[in-house]
Amino acid sequence: MTSQLDYTLVVGLEIHVQLSTRSKLFCGCAVEFGASANSRVCPVCLGMPGVLPVMNRQAYEDSVLVASALNCKIAPFTKWDRKSYYYPDLPKNFQTTQYDLPLSYDGFIEIPIENAGPKRVRITRAHLEEDAGKNLHSSGPFSQVDLNRTGTPLLEIVTEPDLNAPAEVKALAMELQRIVRYLGVSEADMQKGHMRFEPNINLLIRKEGREYKTPITEVKNLNSFRALERSVAFETQRQLDAFCETGKTMVSGSKTTRGWDDGRQVTVLQREKEEAHDYRYFPEPDLLPVEMDAAWLKRIQSRLCELPLQKQTRFVHAYRLSPYDAGVLSADRATADFFEKTVGHGAEPKRVCNLLTQVGLKLANERDCGLVELGLTSRAVADLVLMVTRGEVSASGGNTLLEHMVTSGKRPEVLADELQLLQKSDSAELEIIVDKILQEQDKAVAEVRARGKKAKKAQGFLLGQVMQRTGGQANPQVVSELLAKKLS
Amino acid sequence: MPKELLNLGCKQLVDQISAGQTSSLSATEAVFTAIKARNGEIGAFLALFEAEALAQAQSVDERVAAGNAVGPLAGVPIAVKDNMCMTVGPTTCGSKILEHFHAPYDATVIEKLRAADAVIIGKTNLDEFAMGSSTENSGLKETVNPWDSTRVPGGSSGGSAAAVAGRLCYAALGSDTGGSIRQPASFCGVVGLKPTYGAVSRFGLVAYGSSLDQIGPMTRCVPDSALMMNVIAGHDPKDSTSVDETLAPTIDFLAGLDDPVEGLTIGIVPDLTAGAQPEVRDAVTAAIDLYQSLGAKVVEVALPHAEYAIATYYVIATAEASSNLARYDGVHYGHRTADPKDYTEVYSKSRAEGFGQEVKRRIMLGTYVLSSGYYDAYYLKALKVRNLIRADFDRAFEQCQCIVMPVAPSTAFKRREKTADPLQMYLADVYTISANLAGIPGLSIPCGRGSGQLPIGLQLLGPSFSEATLLRIARMYEHNTDWRMEPPGL
Amino acid sequence: MEQKITESQVEKVAQLSRLALTPAEITEFTGQLESILEYVAKLNELETDHVEPLAHCLPITNCLREDEIRESMGAEKTLANAPQRDGPFFRVPKILDDHSGP
Ligand SMILES: [Mg+2]
Ligand SMILES: [Zn+2]
């Protein structure tokens, strides 16, 4: 019965992105994934008595850079606040974060939507804060605490509730991943927990001419795109069912927190502490405010670059690529740059694209590296493409050559020769062979000349014969043209 | 001889040690002999580092003998309030919750003392986490006033004040959040300086009220205070709130110390002083008269919001404290309750067992004023009044170089006299608290004796970063008086 | 600001403060906090609508450090003061309601 309801899904997203600074936000401990437990800790990030924080400039500038890319206003004056809650992975029992004066606010992000133009989602704010450590739960009656992650810089980005489908939520998350990678401020590696999502979800239900809002749920700490998309989808259905069953609507304080059970693919209600929302924010007395002036902002924003979606759109128009191909090429900045450099050497964009996406990225994947780490130069790839364009090698020969270029590091023309992949395009030379075949195959020649049902097949047969005779090295296009001329 | 040796000022001692006229070892041994004789009664120390101190003294003597350069505090036995982290001994803050806590690092002031070749002899008692005005809130020990053991030494730096007054060290470090250096200095008859907020690094000072806390020297005379400032003041990259050269250029606080301030104008606040005990009032009036006789001009200045300082302070300091002390939870260090039924009980029981009543009371008050629904009414309001208090001083200092007033309304009070009523105890901080709220420096110097020969303190307040001038003004007074006698029974 | 603080409020504050107080302490603190807050209410005499809050006294901003790595303490030193440890970890009673991360 729920399916009959007319409803709109309303989602706002909170995203925590770990910035890839060398040291932590307030101390000199290395930010390092996978170090042995409690080895990247000092008195400051351990929150020992008497310690004081000093802000990492890089973390602040990276935050401003991302905020600028998200079209946010950058606050000329920003400060930090303490947010109090007790938890074993939070050694000071307060988190240093930003409350009423975040470093940026009022921006937007454009996200690609399948079969439609990009969608604009408003950004409420983006601010810089510290991460907590990790609690580990073994099977015994105890939990273990590792504080290596404590104090790692996090950029928290909060969107307005502008997302209306699980796929949109996922698209935003992925777009943001591309952006922070483009800007070089985060590895954004999901496996390492570099991005964590918290969607706020509810429904706007229209029933019998009236509108109802279901209570908001916040799903905590999702760390994969899949879990994010699925939890939103799950919540949509769960809230629909709950509305039909109970009719409960949103009232102040009705927001609940849920967790995602990946094994069962469901969200589960988390126990709410009575004082859960009394964080007692107040200005962090141990840190000074930061004032941003125009010159500094300009210096930071000089690191801005064309963003992935802009690049993708430009690739579609400038190089006549499909949106899909353009998306693949612009997924990371280095690949996109490599593509453009190759095209810049005069190679045909579509052919470069095919070669890179069908062969290059496949090889990179197999080697678990980036396309640009395959050891190819844009010059060599361009030369290869030009050989294909000139008909010196076939398209499939080009694919083979690229693979060998990666393994051997040799130039394409050298490999083409070694592997005998050069095509014969000299029409005078080919004409002799064509004439020979035409003499030998009079049956097929007759069929072509008769222009009957069998003509097309016969012409294909003749082409095949020529190719066979030349050991596959004839340029099929030249041969086709010769055949057409002789049999017309 | 040992007694004469113990009565030397730091500067004199350094000069004699450097000249080979006496040795750091004999000064250090004299100090430990005095401690053995008197600390049982006074209770100034929570920890003593005799072996380390003697070794350090010997090393200084050896360097002097070898003709090597030594630091500005070469060989001087110095005590440190036990809320400054040190890798030697525990750092307890006078609290059961940190009774067995060993800091893995040295506070910046400790590093600076070491670099100056001081001999750190021990850690002194304090009100738990520096919360109190009598050192009676220490969770570990009782300290009495060397002038009268039935009386408190003041607080929270009561151990440091008692140690300096009792000749158990040559100088000490204290910390001052609402008067915790100046008031015990006044009660024990020593010189106490609370520097401008940001002048001395707080790195390694266990935080009570972060926006108010400052470390400062407690000494027997003004030149020693200047000498100590030479060592501890200055920018620290580990403390974001420590000011750099542009705001507070490095200066030699001893240079020109004995030169009287020409054309000195002193501000007084008559309505404020009216609330003090007559003998305190008289002593302060006499001091002002002395300044006038030295050519100073006296003007009346107004601090119209001074009467709101205590209320403002107890909101801001406790709010910050409630957050600063949240970390003592029995998880990563410090006392942990036995057999908690779950992890939240690790917190609530460890803290209930480890903290004393005054600390709990302030955490409760601070939590309340920050909690949802009360923030604006209390905390935000207090921050606004703080601005008014600061503006009062800005205006006053347009008319004068320093403001003179009592340090405390009375001389040292009897032990247990005020413990029953916390508010009454708070109200006694009326003269000292404003300086912390405004961030300005304040100096306490002995200015007389009340009944029972108890010391009375004179407070000098100056604009931010005017310590050098304040010390000179204090020195003018000190030159012409002799209140620096030793307590009876020594 | 005018209404009196109640014992149940004090209990809530104790819970927020993670202090397991006895009923006697709750009663005692209620009285003491009441008189302190009554005193603090004095601040209401002042009109402060147009006064800026002063969070700290220093006329300085922008204290930022360069992104440089300093040596960490290592697990042994980190855990040296730990009341309970489990190998290289701090140990606490089982956390059942995990919502870690900020
Ligand atoms: Mg956050
Ligand atoms: Zn660290």
Side-chain angles (χ1 to χ4, degrees):
Chain A
M1 86 179 233
T2 56
S3 56
Q4 297 150 12
L5 282 177
D6 175 21
Y7 70 90
T8 307
L9 171 66
V10 181
V11 184
L13 197 53
E14 264 180 56
I15 308 119
H16 286 96
V17 181
Q18 181 180 318
L19 299 174
S20 57
T21 52
R22 278 178 287 188
S23 64
K24 291 184 180 181
L25 186 52
F26 300 126
C27 65
C29 287
V31 173
E32 199 178 322
F33 183 81
S36 64
N38 289 307
S39 63
R40 297 296 179 268
V41 178
C42 74
V44 174
C45 56
L46 179 52
M48 283 221 155
V51 296
L52 296 170
V54 185
M55 177 80 60
N56 185 328
R57 175 187 297 276
Q58 192 67 46
Y60 174 72
E61 292 188 350
D62 285 357
S63 302
V64 169
L65 184 65
V66 177
S68 301
L70 298 178
N71 310 288
C72 288
K73 298 195 174 88
I74 306 300
F77 179 96
T78 187
K79 67 167 175 84
W80 277 262
D81 301 273
R82 292 182 180 181
K83 175 185 183 179
S84 293
Y85 62 94
Y86 282 82
Y87 213 55
D89 63 9
L90 190 69
K92 294 174 293 178
N93 288 319
F94 63 77
Q95 182 204 19
T96 302
T97 177
Q98 300 198 277
Y99 183 51
D100 56 342
L101 296 172
L103 63 85
S104 70
Y105 53 94
D106 282 359
F108 63 86
I109 180 175
E110 308 225 295
I111 56 168
I113 300 294
E114 220 174 317
N115 303 323
K119 170 168 177 157
R120 181 173 285 203
V121 176
R122 290 169 298 159
I123 303 287
T124 316
R125 59 186 281 161
H127 72 246
L128 177 61
E129 62 182 27
E130 59 178 334
D131 204 347
K134 276 182 187 161
N135 298 321
L136 298 115
H137 312 296
S138 52
S139 52
F142 297 103
S143 293
Q144 300 171 322
V145 186
D146 175 9
L147 298 179
N148 281 348
R149 200 179 65 181
T150 311
T152 301
L154 287 183
L155 181 63
E156 179 177 324
I157 298 159
V158 184
T159 80
E160 290 290 304
D162 290 347
L163 296 156
N164 305 108
E168 288 184 12
V169 178
K170 185 185 173 192
L172 186 140
M174 293 182 75
E175 190 59 21
L176 191 65
Q177 184 191 44
R178 287 210 294 184
I179 290 174
V180 295
R181 284 179 171 173
Y182 257 56
L183 296 172
V185 301
S186 175
E187 288 170 49
D189 186 334
M190 310 300 290
Q191 254 89 51
K192 294 179 183 168
H194 291 167
M195 286 181 89
R196 308 196 290 271
F197 309 103
E198 279 161 14
N200 277 261
I201 307 157
N202 80 332
L203 306 176
L204 181 66
I205 295 172
R206 283 166 293 270
K207 192 180 161 190
E208 291 147 14
R210 286 191 56 190
E211 288 195 335
Y212 303 88
K213 288 177 180 167
T214 57
I216 297 176
T217 54
E218 179 176 4
V219 185
K220 300 293 277 184
N221 247 321
L222 298 161
N223 45 23
S224 77
F225 295 132
R226 227 164 75 126
L228 174 63
E229 186 177 25
R230 292 198 177 172
S231 68
V232 173
F234 178 86
E235 270 303 298
T236 309
Q237 192 56 46
R238 193 195 61 77
Q239 291 191 12
L240 273 177
D241 293 346
F243 176 76
C244 292
E245 220 169 278
T246 67
K248 271 192 195 151
T249 56
M250 186 168 81
V251 285
S252 146
S254 64
K255 178 171 158 174
T256 52
T257 303
R258 300 180 76 87
W260 176 246
D261 183 332
D262 208 52
R264 295 192 295 141
Q265 297 278 299
V266 295
T267 65
V268 278
L269 187 66
Q270 287 184 339
R271 187 162 68 93
E272 282 298 282
K273 295 219 184 61
E274 208 185 323
E275 84 281 8
H277 300 297
D278 200 342
Y279 290 126
R280 286 157 286 140
Y281 286 99
F282 78 103
E284 166 59 271
D286 292 330
L287 287 173
L288 299 176
V290 171
E291 285 183 281
M292 170 63 74
D293 60 38
W296 189 13
L297 185 58
K298 204 175 149 197
R299 243 181 7 255
I300 295 170
Q301 289 181 338
S302 70
R303 287 168 57 206
L304 277 174
C305 59
E306 185 183 35
L307 295 179
L309 189 57
Q310 292 169 332
K311 207 183 272 289
Q312 185 176 352
T313 312
R314 184 168 60 81
F315 280 11
V316 169
H317 293 116
Y319 304 121
R320 303 191 178 283
L321 302 179
S322 71
Y324 177 82
D325 281 344
V328 174
L329 285 176
S330 59
D332 77 273
R333 202 170 151 184
T335 301
D337 287 350
F338 188 87
F339 165 76
E340 289 208 276
K341 250 198 193 161
T342 310
V343 171
H345 295 310
E348 193 193 326
K350 181 65 189 163
R351 282 197 199 278
V352 177
C353 170
N354 290 346
L355 207 52
L356 293 183
T357 56
Q358 287 161 21
V359 184
L361 287 171
K362 190 193 80 187
L363 294 173
N365 251 339
E366 286 165 10
R367 286 163 175 74
D368 200 22
C369 69
L371 178 89
V372 294
E373 291 158 311
L374 288 172
L376 293 167
T377 65
S378 58
R379 180 85 253 176
V381 174
D383 289 346
L384 173 61
V385 170
L386 288 167
M387 286 170 73
V388 176
T389 307
R390 287 194 301 263
E392 291 161 21
V393 292
S394 66
S396 74
N399 289 355
T400 311
L401 281 175
L402 190 69
E403 283 194 39
H404 282 86
M405 282 161 71
V406 169
T407 45
S408 71
K410 290 182 184 167
R411 300 263 323 149
E413 62 278 4
V414 175
L415 284 168
D417 197 35
E418 278 180 21
L419 300 168
Q420 303 196 321
L421 285 169
L422 281 172
Q423 293 189 136
K424 291 197 165 72
S425 299
D426 183 334
S427 27
E429 193 184 328
L430 285 174
E431 200 169 352
I432 300 166
I433 301 168
V434 168
D435 286 342
K436 241 188 188 155
I437 296 290
L438 291 182
Q439 276 167 19
E440 287 166 20
Q441 305 288 346
D442 46 349
K443 190 179 159 215
V445 169
E447 277 170 3
V448 175
R449 291 220 160 106
R451 297 185 191 281
K453 270 185 191 168
K454 289 177 177 170
K456 202 167 177 199
K457 201 180 165 196
Q459 185 147 355
F461 171 77
L462 290 171
L463 174 64
Q465 287 298 305
V466 178
M467 293 307 287
Q468 207 173 17
R469 186 68 53 90
T470 60
Q473 287 187 301
N475 184 334
Q477 206 177 333
V478 178
V479 176
S480 294
E481 278 164 18
L482 282 171
L483 283 172
K485 198 174 88 189
K486 306 239 172 216
L487 297 170
S488 62
Chain B
M1 173 63 189
K3 190 163 170 174
E4 274 164 46
L5 186 59
L6 283 176
N7 276 333
L8 291 178
C10 299
K11 185 79 186 87
Q12 294 159 297
L13 182 62
V14 172
D15 290 345
Q16 293 196 9
I17 290 172
S18 312
Q21 289 162 322
T22 187
S23 68
S24 174
L25 193 61
S26 42
T28 308
E29 279 169 349
V31 158
F32 278 101
T33 306
I35 287 170
K36 274 160 203 157
R38 300 244 14 222
N39 189 47
E41 186 194 348
I42 298 176
F45 288 93
L46 288 172
L48 288 161
F49 316 125
E50 188 169 1
E52 292 88 343
L54 292 173
Q56 162 70 357
Q58 207 156 11
S59 131
V60 171
D61 289 339
E62 280 162 16
R63 276 181 285 153
V64 170
N68 294 333
V70 285
L73 283 173
V76 181
I78 281 172
V80 174
K81 187 178 181 178
D82 199 19
N83 60 349
M84 296 172 215
C85 286
M86 227 172 104
T87 47
V88 177
T91 298
T92 69
C93 295
S95 181
K96 285 200 169 68
I97 211 158
L98 287 180
E99 195 171 358
H100 306 292
F101 172 71
H102 286 260
Y105 75 103
D106 282 322
T108 298
V109 287
I110 301 293
E111 286 180 347
K112 290 192 170 196
L113 285 182
R114 291 196 206 285
D117 288 324
V119 174
I120 299 173
I121 58 158
K123 302 289 280 289
T124 58
N125 198 18
L126 66 156
D127 287 298
E128 187 177 0
F129 287 102
M131 295 179 184
S133 313
S134 66
T135 313
E136 291 167 293
N137 295 331
S138 170
L140 302 177
K141 189 163 199 158
E142 217 171 340
T143 303
V144 302
N145 193 311
W147 292 82
D148 178 349
S149 59
T150 67
R151 290 178 188 267
V152 300
S156 64
S157 310
S160 285
V164 174
R167 307 307 195 251
L168 307 181
C169 62
Y170 286 83
L173 288 183
S175 70
D176 191 315
T177 307
S180 282
I181 286 175
R182 291 159 289 158
Q183 184 256 24
S186 162
F187 280 13
C188 292
V190 301
V191 176
L193 171 63
K194 178 205 95 73
T196 309
Y197 184 79
V200 178
S201 169
R202 293 185 295 119
F203 188 80
L205 169 67
V206 179
Y208 157 26
S210 311
S211 76
L212 305 156
D213 297 339
Q214 261 302 281
I215 291 172
M218 305 182 78
T219 57
R220 292 201 293 258
C221 61
V222 174
D224 287 0
S225 190
L227 174 61
M228 289 285 279
M229 280 299 281
N230 277 350
V231 172
I232 63 171
H235 178 61
D236 179 7
K238 291 182 200 159
D239 176 0
S240 308
T241 65
S242 113
V243 297
D244 61 15
E245 287 289 308
T246 53
L247 211 58
T250 304
I251 42 167
D252 179 359
F253 291 94
L254 280 167
L257 184 64
D258 288 325
D259 302 341
V261 175
E262 298 284 339
L264 174 63
T265 306
I266 282 172
I268 57 167
V269 196
D271 343 337
L272 260 187
T273 316
Q277 269 178 3
E279 61 183 20
V280 171
R281 237 167 33 214
D282 292 348
V284 171
T285 307
I288 293 164
D289 290 345
L290 177 72
Y291 273 115
Q292 269 181 310
S293 76
L294 295 172
K297 208 175 111 192
V298 176
V299 295
E300 282 189 20
V301 294
L303 297 174
H305 299 97
E307 61 170 305
Y308 301 97
I310 295 171
T312 305
Y313 172 86
Y314 278 96
V315 172
I316 294 172
T318 60
E320 291 178 1
S322 71
S323 153
N324 284 331
L325 271 64
R327 71 192 69 202
Y328 308 110
D329 60 7
V331 173
H332 309 100
Y333 47 79
H335 170 75
R336 177 168 189 158
T337 191
D339 301 319
K341 81 171 191 296
D342 55 25
Y343 84 89
T344 53
E345 252 192 32
V346 173
Y347 299 142
S348 58
K349 285 197 165 170
S350 301
R351 289 163 64 76
E353 292 161 10
F355 290 139
Q357 290 308 102
E358 184 60 32
V359 172
K360 287 183 196 173
R361 189 157 37 239
R362 294 196 196 192
I363 290 173
M364 293 285 287
L365 180 57
T367 304
Y368 179 77
V369 299
L370 287 177
S371 64
S372 127
Y374 299 99
Y375 180 91
D376 286 3
Y378 291 107
Y379 187 73
L380 191 64
K381 181 84 184 180
L383 290 189
K384 289 177 165 194
V385 178
R386 182 176 189 179
N387 208 353
L388 294 174
I389 290 167
R390 184 181 165 85
D392 281 355
F393 280 109
D394 287 345
R395 263 190 304 274
F397 289 129
E398 284 168 12
Q399 294 170 260
C400 60
Q401 281 120 308
C402 81
I403 295 171
V404 172
M405 63 171 75
V407 178
S410 71
T411 53
F413 48 84
K414 290 264 188 198
R415 289 156 61 191
R416 315 262 180 279
E417 190 182 308
K418 295 192 179 183
T419 41
D421 187 347
L423 183 57
Q424 284 314 304
M425 188 81 96
Y426 298 171
L427 294 178
D429 296 336
V430 56
Y431 298 122
T432 48
I433 268 174
S434 298
N436 301 82
L437 291 169
I440 59 170
L443 185 61
S444 169
I445 49 170
C447 75
R449 302 263 171 264
S451 59
Q453 283 301 298
L454 292 171
I456 297 170
L458 178 75
Q459 183 172 221
L460 306 174
L461 299 171
S464 291
F465 307 107
S466 69
E467 282 86 347
T469 311
L470 269 191
L471 287 164
R472 276 171 67 198
I473 297 170
R475 184 66 181 153
M476 285 165 71
Y477 179 83
E478 193 179 63
H479 244 326
N480 290 281
T481 55
D482 190 16
W483 299 114
R484 288 169 292 142
M485 43 206 265
E486 59 189 64
L490 285 183
Chain C
M1 216 156 165
E2 304 300 340
Q3 81 240 62
K4 288 188 168 177
I5 187 165
T6 62
E7 289 204 5
S8 83
Q9 275 176 299
V10 172
E11 267 171 40
K12 224 181 112 186
V13 172
Q15 222 247 318
L16 269 177
S17 309
R18 296 293 187 279
L19 288 169
L21 300 182
T22 64
E25 282 177 311
I26 293 283
T27 307
E28 193 195 344
F29 281 155
T30 305
Q32 288 171 342
L33 292 186
E34 188 185 310
S35 61
I36 295 165
L37 290 169
E38 215 172 77
Y39 176 77
V40 167
K42 184 179 172 64
L43 297 180
N44 285 342
E45 294 167 9
L46 296 171
E47 209 280 300
T48 53
D49 286 355
H50 303 290
V51 181
E52 281 295 308
L54 182 72
H56 72 78
C57 291
L58 293 168
I60 51 174
T61 53
N62 297 22
C63 180
L64 299 149
R65 51 171 259 278
E66 297 313 310
D67 182 23
E68 283 158 8
I69 294 173
R70 298 278 150 116
E71 212 181 327
S72 297
M73 282 200 293
E76 275 319 301
K77 226 170 164 186
T78 298
L79 289 152
N81 282 288
Q84 280 190 39
R85 61 184 284 187
D86 190 353
F89 298 98
F90 295 95
R91 188 163 93 166
V92 289
K94 188 107 186 152
I95 300 164
L96 297 166
D97 52 345
D98 193 11
H99 20 92
S100 50

